[in-house]
Each structure stands twice: as C-alpha cells, then as structure tokens.
Amino acid sequence: MPRENVNDLRAFVAVAKERNFTRAAAGLGVTQSALSHTIRQLEERLGVRLLTRTTRAVAPTEAGLRLLKGVTPHLEGIDAEIEALGTLRDVLAGTVRIVSSEYGISHALWPKLAPFLKKNPDIKVEITQDNGLNEIVTEGYDAGVRRGEHLAKDMISARIGPDLRYIVVGSPALLEVYPTPIHPRELDSIPCVNFLLQSTGIYFAWQFKEDGRELRVRVEGQLAFNNVFDCLKAAEAGFGLSYVPDEIAQKGIASGKLIQVLEPFCPTWDGFYLYYPNRRQASPAFQAVLNALRYRG
C-alpha cells in the first residue's frame, strides 16, 4: 500500500479531536465538503472506517482511535522539528498557548510574562482562564498551570512559583452568629463558600494537616464559585467561611473585614507548576517562555 499523505492524516486527526467536521474544517482552512472527501479517500485507501458519523456527532471507530494514538505523536514531532528551525533566525517567534486558573495567572504567570514579552515582541502567548483540571493535549494547549499535588504523572513539569498557603477566613459578623471552629471537622456546623472545579463539576475538598497527616473536608453553604477571588468577596460579605490563598486574604485581615480561623491546620503546599506533554523537542518560543517562568527561589 502506498505511503499516506501527511496532510490527509492531519485532516483525520483534526476531525477526530474536534469530533466535528465544521470546526475541523475551519481550523484547517478548508471547506467542509473538501474535508469530508479527504476523509472518505483516506478510509478507502486504508480499507477501514475511521469515523462514525451521525447527524449530531462524529466519533472515531476502534480503528480510528488506534490510528489517532499512533500518528499524533509523530505529527507533533514533525511540527516541533519544523518550528525548531526558528532557532536559525535571529529573533524568537511563535505562539504559546497556556491554560491556568485566575489565581495562577495573577500569581505565577503575569508577573514574569509581562517583562518577558516586552523584550520578545515576536512571541505571542495565549492564556485561557479555566479553574478546572484541564486535559491540555486534547484541548489544544501547549501547557497548563497547576499546584504540585494536582500534576498528572504523564506530564513534564517545571516549578514556576513558591509554596502556597491556603487559609480559612470569615467575616466578623458571621463569627458573631456561629461559633468559631477550632477543628476542621467542625466546619459542618457553619456556612462555607465552596470552590467549584470547572472541569469536573464537583466541589473542591478543603485541605488541612493534622499531626503531619493530610485531612480533607467537604463543606456546605449557600454559594459556590469557580475562582478564589469571588470566594474571598463572599466571605467578606458574610456568606460563609472561605478557603483562599493567604496572599489575597491579607488585606482583608489587616483591615478587619476578615478573621482567620483554624490557623494551626493550614500548612504550606507545593506552589504552581507549568506542565506540558513529553515531546521530543519543544519549540524555541515555548522553551523561552518556560525559562522565563521558572522559579529560582
């Protein structure tokens, strides 16, 4: 059988990942009919059906999933090698796509990226705010930002920020009505503001330590948000206790708008890391961004 055209394989991968001909065609810059014709020809040459099509959805068959898994790393390697040719140029250039929580952006990314990008105007960085635990490969990102304990084992990671401390705070008005908790298990008797994990749709368990052992507590309350800044505002407004980074709560504590509780149970945790797939060669633009973000103590 003759060697398949690389562009046909790229077309298949685009449809298989998007699971939609319209979006895949737009991303490839071709018409939907042309893309459908390319996929049909590829299936005919291979002698197997790669995609199952219905009026509402497109999904890879078993053969399609096998081909997708087999060719994607090679296509990514080709793209990386081509982009790596940029090292022969005098000016770094390229686009790097990163997904991060709102706090990760403000705390770990932006303070270092802002001066870096001023010095490298030909490097573009696209930052998507998402407070979930994203699958960066399937979602088309070059890298993501997570706290150390949430890193996936199959990813490469580089530390980009110091240790973090999350604390529990509430308004004086709230703590006049409800007894101040002296142990995390007592949180079930007082309203709390939940943090919603966007990618899973579940509430984040508050993390503590007692005698060196990790203690996770699920809380209940009237409100839930998917970013810590809104959780903090809700705590200041008296809607419940919130579990937030110490850094963003200090102003409210100093002004008397917030009171910290459960202080002995709130240790420091691993800070933010940039995580990315194990590719043979990262693009020069990505490597430059990574070097700028690295935490050096």
Side-chain angles (χ1 to χ4, degrees):
M1 185 181 66
R3 183 177 298 175
E4 303 307 327
N5 188 293
V6 172
N7 289 333
D8 291 353
L9 293 175
R10 289 186 187 280
F12 161 71
V13 169
V15 177
K17 286 185 175 180
E18 288 288 348
R19 302 202 172 199
N20 183 285
F21 272 87
T22 302
R23 290 196 298 269
L28 293 169
V30 299
T31 65
Q32 185 175 339
S33 60
L35 181 57
S36 296
H37 180 67
T38 297
I39 298 299
R40 281 196 301 271
Q41 284 191 321
L42 179 62
E43 289 177 327
E44 289 173 3
R45 291 200 302 272
L46 294 176
V48 293
R49 181 173 291 277
L50 299 174
L51 298 169
T52 299
R53 306 163 178 83
T54 68
T55 55
R56 294 186 177 181
V58 178
T61 63
E62 181 179 357
L65 288 172
R66 180 172 177 176
L67 181 62
L68 179 66
K69 182 178 179 180
V71 303
T72 298
H74 297 291
L75 293 176
E76 290 179 343
I78 292 171
D79 292 339
E81 292 292 344
I82 291 174
E83 192 168 355
L85 294 176
T87 56
L88 300 177
R89 298 173 52 191
D90 294 331
V91 179
L92 281 171
T95 300
V96 178
R97 299 171 180 85
I98 303 174
V99 62
S100 172
S101 67
E102 185 177 12
Y103 181 56
I105 294 170
S106 65
H107 177 79
L109 290 182
W110 186 241
K112 295 178 181 178
L113 278 181
F116 167 80
L117 292 174
K118 290 281 188 181
K119 298 177 181 177
N120 296 275
D122 291 316
I123 291 182
K124 297 180 180 179
V125 177
E126 296 177 0
I127 300 176
T128 298
Q129 178 188 313
D130 192 320
N131 295 295
L133 299 176
N134 304 81
E135 296 293 338
I136 58 172
V137 174
T138 58
E139 295 176 27
Y141 299 107
D142 296 299
V145 174
R146 287 186 190 174
R147 285 166 49 193
E149 66 267 25
H150 297 146
L151 292 171
K153 294 181 179 179
D154 59 347
M155 292 283 165
I156 299 174
S157 62
R159 188 167 185 145
I160 60 173
D163 286 345
L164 296 173
R165 187 169 190 247
Y166 276 66
I167 63 175
V168 181
V169 293
S171 71
L174 179 80
L175 294 172
E176 286 179 3
V177 177
Y178 295 91
T180 300
I182 60 174
H183 190 278
R185 293 192 184 89
E186 297 175 8
L187 290 169
D188 60 1
S189 64
I190 185 169
C192 296
V193 181
N194 262 304
F195 180 86
L196 179 66
L197 286 171
Q198 200 166 322
S199 56
T200 61
I202 63 174
Y203 294 149
F204 179 76
W206 292 12
Q207 297 172 290
F208 303 97
K209 278 190 178 178
E210 182 180 23
D211 298 327
R213 297 191 303 271
E214 186 175 339
L215 177 65
R216 291 173 179 257
V217 177
R218 300 283 179 180
V219 299
E220 297 291 338
Q222 187 180 13
L223 281 172
F225 297 95
N226 71 346
N227 77 76
V228 293
F229 295 99
D230 286 333
C231 290
L232 182 68
K233 293 175 184 176
E236 291 181 345
F239 282 96
L241 296 176
S242 284
Y243 183 76
V244 296
D246 176 83
E247 177 189 43
I248 70 171
Q250 285 306 315
K251 184 176 179 180
I253 294 172
S255 68
K257 291 182 179 180
L258 293 171
I259 295 174
Q260 181 180 353
V261 300
L262 300 175
E263 196 277 337
F265 300 92
C266 297
T268 57
W269 303 92
D270 258 358
F272 284 115
Y273 287 73
L274 193 76
Y275 66 98
Y276 52 99
N278 186 7
R279 295 177 180 168
R280 285 195 303 170
Q281 184 166 2
S283 72
F286 178 81
Q287 192 63 52
V289 169
L290 173 61
N291 289 338
L293 291 173
R294 284 187 187 277
Y295 176 66
R296 295 175 170 84

